[in-house]
Amino acid sequence: MGDRKVALEDERGVVDSDTESPRLESQHGDTVPDAVAPPPHHPRFPLLDGMRSIAVLSVVLVHTTVGAHDTPILGPLLAHTNIGVAIFFLISGFLLYRPFIAHRGGGPAAPSVDQYAKRRVLRIYPAYWLVLTVLVIAPGLTGIGDGEWWALYGLVQTLPGASDCNPFLTQCGVSQTWSLVTEVTFYAALPLYVLATAFLARRRSVRNWMRLELLLLAILSIVSVLLHFVVLDGTARSWVAPSVVGYVFWFALGMGLAIASVGLERRERQPALIRLVASRPLIPWSLAFTVYVLLSAWLPSTPVIFDKDRVIVIHVAFGLIAALLLLPAVFGDRSGGLPRRFLAHPVVAWLGLISYGIFLWHYAIALRLRGADLDPSLVLIATLAITIPCATASYYLVERPLLRLKYRRLRDVVGYVRRARRLPPP
């Protein structure tokens, strides 16, 4: 072996035999955190880390400022920051679908379904199980509602037949995780969708494939909105409301961005809209902020059951706002313009890295603090002060060690651990 520079190929990078330590690298040579490492040979979109931080802080904001939602001007703006869920769904649609279709534009091969499933399980369940267990056994904490235990730990508690709790009144398990149940149904449906659309792309040019699939996503989105909010009135106890079926539009917007990203990646001249986003990223963000302000001014800020027309407008507007926010993170130079500089800031990117833990821990803490009758601003500050250390510990002690397994075969992991134990201390 000579100098023992034997590298074991890994789907995220390489392992140097001199140190037997993983070196995770992206296509651009930068170190990639385990939580956001893309599939092998696929590009990483680092500005989406910052988008995760915007999404999770929006969710925290809506849960901690309930007492201020009826105040003039500021109240309506705070009351609808649950738009963070739409941002999360768009990010999932983009990042999970793109590797499956990258080869259609001349990119790397799609990941296998079993590897995809393993990554999803490692990403979602261990940290969730930890929070759920702590909330069950820790005295004085709240946030666990009704539901069968097997359904809670399986993340299916809001689906029909899994439990008798009401998925629309935040009484199912860790209440904010209704969106995780929806995500899990999307994870399960995505490989089936990929298999179906493979026939659509067969023997077609990239341009024709893009047009046909974008049209298909548009049709599915329209059917989803009509089924969810018109036919079933948004409240029916069915598979539509708590699953991906009711949120096709949000996921489809992210998937549409993935299609455009793949289809336009190798074009010498980009469409005018993409050039505008690349050179003027503040324009889509300004549009997103304007639409959000107008929407908040139009909607009531108190917790009410919105009428059918308003619910549809909220659903569509949230999706469009989230898409506008994502555009600069997907297209254009990583560092050009104020939005990209903000998303690339180390603190913002790091909060995105631990965002899953923030999402999981914050609600029970916020409920506890809200019960103390504190000012909403103090509830927000205290929730973040407690939640961020919990999320940090969750990532570095639970999520990150397990996520190192997501691109490794089990026998390679076992061999790596055995070799690491034989190494002398530095």
Side-chain angles (χ1 to χ4, degrees):
M1 292 283 185
D3 59 0
R4 296 182 70 243
K5 281 287 184 179
V6 179
L8 302 177
E9 188 173 12
D10 183 90
E11 289 182 323
R12 296 171 301 173
V14 296
V15 175
D16 191 328
S17 295
D18 284 340
T19 61
E20 304 294 351
S21 61
R23 187 173 75 249
L24 311 183
E25 296 179 353
S26 72
Q27 273 193 347
H28 302 279
D30 54 327
T31 301
V32 180
D34 302 275
V36 291
H41 314 300
H42 287 267
R44 174 167 133 73
F45 294 83
L47 296 183
L48 291 180
D49 300 347
M51 284 305 309
R52 288 188 182 95
S53 69
I54 292 176
V56 77
L57 292 177
S58 297
V59 174
V60 172
L61 200 60
V62 77
H63 288 153
T64 56
T65 61
V66 173
H69 289 176
D70 57 352
T71 59
I73 302 177
L74 184 61
L77 295 176
L78 296 173
H80 305 293
T81 54
N82 54 330
I83 191 176
V85 177
I87 297 173
F88 274 130
F89 284 5
L90 262 77
I91 292 174
S92 292
F94 176 80
L95 289 179
L96 297 185
Y97 190 46
R98 196 183 192 282
F100 279 114
I101 60 172
H103 66 281
R104 297 178 187 174
S112 63
V113 174
D114 60 333
Q115 287 294 318
Y116 160 80
K118 180 177 73 171
R119 293 196 296 269
R120 292 299 90 209
V121 169
L122 289 173
R123 185 70 186 103
I124 293 298
Y125 281 97
Y128 166 73
W129 287 334
L130 172 64
V131 172
L132 183 59
T133 303
V134 169
L135 293 180
V136 168
I137 65 177
L141 290 178
T142 56
I144 295 290
D146 302 324
E148 301 291 339
W149 291 112
W150 69 267
L152 291 175
Y153 278 90
L155 259 180
V156 295
Q157 65 268 23
T158 59
L159 298 179
S163 67
D164 296 326
C165 60
N166 190 330
F168 306 102
L169 299 177
T170 65
Q171 296 173 353
C172 289
V174 186
S175 301
Q176 79 278 20
T177 59
W178 69 266
S179 60
L180 285 183
V181 178
T182 305
E183 287 263 13
V184 169
T185 63
F186 172 67
Y187 300 160
L190 185 59
L192 300 177
Y193 177 85
V194 171
L195 183 63
T197 56
F199 292 96
L200 193 66
R202 184 173 296 176
R203 297 189 182 92
R204 297 185 186 275
S205 68
V206 172
R207 178 172 295 185
N208 286 338
W209 155 68
M210 287 177 59
R211 290 175 177 173
L212 282 174
E213 189 159 357
L214 289 174
L215 176 62
L216 174 61
L217 289 174
I219 293 172
L220 292 176
S221 297
I222 293 171
V223 171
S224 170
V225 171
L226 293 178
L227 184 63
H228 189 181
F229 300 111
V230 178
V231 177
L232 299 178
D233 202 22
T235 58
R237 185 75 167 109
S238 69
W239 280 88
V240 174
S243 73
V244 63
V245 180
Y247 294 90
V248 168
F249 178 57
W250 290 356
F251 288 110
L253 285 171
M255 295 165 69
L257 289 177
I259 293 169
S261 172
V262 169
L264 301 175
E265 187 174 28
R266 286 171 170 77
R267 282 197 188 180
E268 293 184 3
R269 182 172 176 79
Q270 299 292 313
L273 178 61
I274 302 302
R275 297 199 305 272
L276 179 64
V277 170
S279 60
R280 299 288 188 271
L282 198 56
I283 291 179
W285 273 36
S286 299
L287 287 174
F289 180 76
T290 301
V291 174
Y292 180 78
V293 170
L294 294 175
L295 182 69
S296 299
W298 178 64
L299 294 173
S301 58
T302 53
V304 297
I305 303 298
F306 296 122
D307 59 72
K308 183 187 302 183
D309 293 338
R310 290 196 178 189
V311 169
I312 294 175
V313 172
I314 293 170
H315 190 77
V316 174
F318 273 16
L320 295 178
I321 292 169
L324 287 169
L325 292 175
L326 257 66
L327 283 174
V330 173
F331 301 105
D333 190 348
R334 291 183 181 180
S335 59
L338 179 61
R340 297 191 184 102
R341 290 197 295 271
F342 173 78
L343 294 176
H345 191 281
V347 175
V348 177
W350 179 75
L351 287 174
L353 186 66
I354 64 168
S355 60
Y356 186 47
I358 296 175
F359 175 80
L360 289 174
W361 286 99
H362 83 278
Y363 189 65
I365 296 169
L367 284 180
R368 182 72 171 174
L369 292 171
R370 278 162 48 185
D373 199 25
L374 298 173
D375 183 88
S377 60
L378 292 178
V379 174
L380 172 61
I381 294 171
T383 298
L384 290 175
I386 298 171
T387 299
I388 290 176
C390 292
T392 303
S394 172
Y395 174 69
Y396 289 103
L397 299 180
V398 178
E399 297 172 55
R400 185 177 179 181
L402 291 174
L403 286 169
R404 286 175 175 164
L405 309 180
K406 68 179 183 177
Y407 292 123
R408 296 179 185 273
R409 294 173 297 181
L410 181 60
R411 64 183 181 182
D412 291 339
V413 174
V414 173
Y416 168 73
V417 172
R418 288 176 177 173
R419 289 189 295 272
R421 288 177 177 176
R422 293 198 299 266
L423 289 176

